[in-house]
Amino acid sequence: MIKLLIYEDNPQLREGLSMLISGSDGFEVLAAFKNCENVVDEVEAFNPDVILMDIDMPGVNGLEGLKRIRAVNTNVKILMLTVFDDNKNIFQAISNGANGYILKKTPPAKLLEYIAEAKTGGAPMTASVATQVLKMFSSMNNEKGEDYNLSEREKQVLQLLVDGYSYKMIAGEMFIAIDTVRSHIKKIYEKLHVNSKSEAVAKAFKDKIV
Amino acid sequence: MIKLLIYEDNPQLREGLSMLISGSDGFEVLAAFKNCENVVDEVEAFNPDVILMDIDMPGVNGLEGLKRIRAVNTNVKILMLTVFDDNKNIFQAISNGANGYILKKTPPAKLLEYIAEAKTGGAPMTASVATQVLKMFSSMNNEKGEDYNLSEREKQVLQLLVDGYSYKMIAGEMFIAIDTVRSHIKKIYEKLHVNSKSEAVAKAFKDKIV
DNA sequence: GGGTATTTAACATGTTTATGTGATTTGCTG
DNA sequence: CAGCAAATCACATAAACATGTTAAATACCC
């Protein structure tokens, strides 16, 4: 028997979900609330397996509710419910430890399936949500385009700068004269359009040159 | 009618998948191959809607096949097939533009469902795979622990250092004497355990202080 | 073969940083 | 209230850095 709590401000949807889930074998709705004001106490009192949490609620919204629960309970599974498969909310929810993210238009049969999956440790999500997640994922570690045409030797010097080496130390490390180090660094500054060591270091991090 | 290509080295599984999918209404398997040697030509010749791609194949494996296809075709939907919900492969596949990631043990009914979802732009994934993805996601932008106890003013100075300001410029920006800037920076160096501007900048990036 | 980029190096000059020492004011805390 | 951290400023000195100019050896491309 999977025990649930529901948070949803729309009365029709709240009742509908409760009826649907309660009427299904193996599911039990412990209670349904219209906001997250007392979410921490309620979760503690009812000790559910899974929580259905609407994102858009007046007052304390679903994301805030999620955070409050996670602050005291990392165990209960939380499925976020929303009408939109919108980027920002998904990201926020994931970062704050939601176990799944499903659309309200999800058909009843699938909803029950998702709840069951969440209970057993899966992270159910609508295919359209998964698309968003994948897009975010691949966009966030895309290698930077600009490479500024640094030569091999210049890249080495820049790496050592980033690692906190002084000119003298770089000269020692690379077995070249300190004036040669200066030459390289002048060239690097030209190519990166900077004019100080720390700017070069900052740019190296920002543009993932190192 | 959804047209598919299958890449799978295991003959039984390859045949089984072909039979299963061909025998279902609305699906047509154009061909099934045991490796990705000629994947580019084959995709071009058959022009499928969806490709089922096994990850672990001898010779040219699924990830390599995925890359080769994406190099010339960003349109066809590619579902990766694997026995493991293993972290590294998932990440690789996502980065290289896979549209979904499903386990071989996925029951037939669900498999067909996933294929249909992929065709319409969704990103189907098994709940256990989604769990991995979400974990990766939340682990990759976890805030750094150490905050080094920088005071408000010190944080401002550090921010300006990161932005490439000289002491003089910082003094101007913050309406304080240059010697005060020095004082702050000395304190910052103590707290960060560094002894140069560029090291401080590097540390600021590494530890996400800024 | 001549133009171009890379790597190496030297010399000079001025600016910026790093470090030490010391001091005053403010506000918080036990 | 005494003590402490934070923020402010001053003076001094040495080291590190930025910039300009010049130039030789090597290598690659059209």
Side-chain angles (χ1 to χ4, degrees), chain A residues 24-198:
Chain A
S24 304
D25 278 351
F27 297 87
E28 181 186 1
V29 176
L30 303 174
F33 302 95
K34 66 175 189 295
N35 65 50
C36 286
E37 297 298 346
N38 304 105
V39 66
V40 171
D41 293 338
E42 289 153 3
V43 170
E44 199 151 306
F46 287 100
N47 191 33
D49 300 310
V50 179
I51 296 174
L52 294 187
M53 175 73 75
D54 184 23
I55 293 256
D56 302 304
M57 285 185 288
V60 183
N61 70 17
L63 285 174
E64 180 58 31
L66 171 64
K67 283 185 210 170
R68 291 190 187 179
I69 297 170
R70 281 287 174 252
V72 297
N73 184 328
T74 55
N75 212 11
V76 61
K77 308 298 179 186
I78 304 179
L79 289 185
M80 306 306 287
L81 273 177
T82 184
V83 275
F84 306 111
D85 47 351
D86 114 81
N87 220 304
K88 188 159 152 282
N89 279 338
I90 294 174
F91 186 80
Q92 290 274 320
I94 290 174
S95 300
N96 286 293
N99 296 92
Y101 201 104
I102 60 191
L103 301 186
K104 287 186 181 173
K105 67 179 181 196
T106 304
K110 274 212 150 316
L111 179 62
L112 296 174
E113 190 183 291
Y114 285 157
I115 294 171
E117 278 177 348
K119 152 97 177 175
T120 57
M125 52 176 91
T126 323
S128 63
V129 170
T131 305
Q132 300 294 320
V133 173
L134 259 49
K135 272 187 199 154
M136 279 188 273
F137 219 124
S138 51
S139 76
M140 88 193 296
N141 75 309
N142 58 355
E143 292 305 310
K144 248 323 194 50
E146 305 185 83
D147 67 345
Y148 298 102
N149 271 318
L150 293 183
S151 71
E152 271 315 302
R153 217 58 175 148
E154 285 158 2
K155 281 182 200 163
Q156 289 173 34
V157 172
L158 181 55
Q159 179 62 61
L160 292 170
L161 283 184
V162 166
D163 291 342
Y165 285 55
S166 69
Y167 288 15
K168 202 186 292 182
M169 289 160 78
I170 293 175
E173 191 72 21
M174 294 177 66
F175 304 106
I176 54 180
I178 193 169
D179 277 307
T180 307
V181 176
R182 285 189 220 280
S183 293
H184 286 310
I185 290 180
K186 256 184 285 192
K187 216 84 183 68
I188 292 171
Y189 287 0
E190 275 175 33
K191 291 184 178 178
L192 299 194
H193 305 297
V194 298
N195 43 36
S196 79
K197 198 166 137 178
S198 50

Side-chain angles (χ1 to χ4, degrees), chain B residues 150 154-162 188 192 200 204 209-210:
Chain B
L150 293 183
E154 285 159 3
K155 280 182 201 165
Q156 289 173 35
V157 172
L158 181 54
Q159 179 62 62
L160 292 171
L161 283 184
V162 167
I188 292 171
L192 299 194
I209 297 174
V210 291

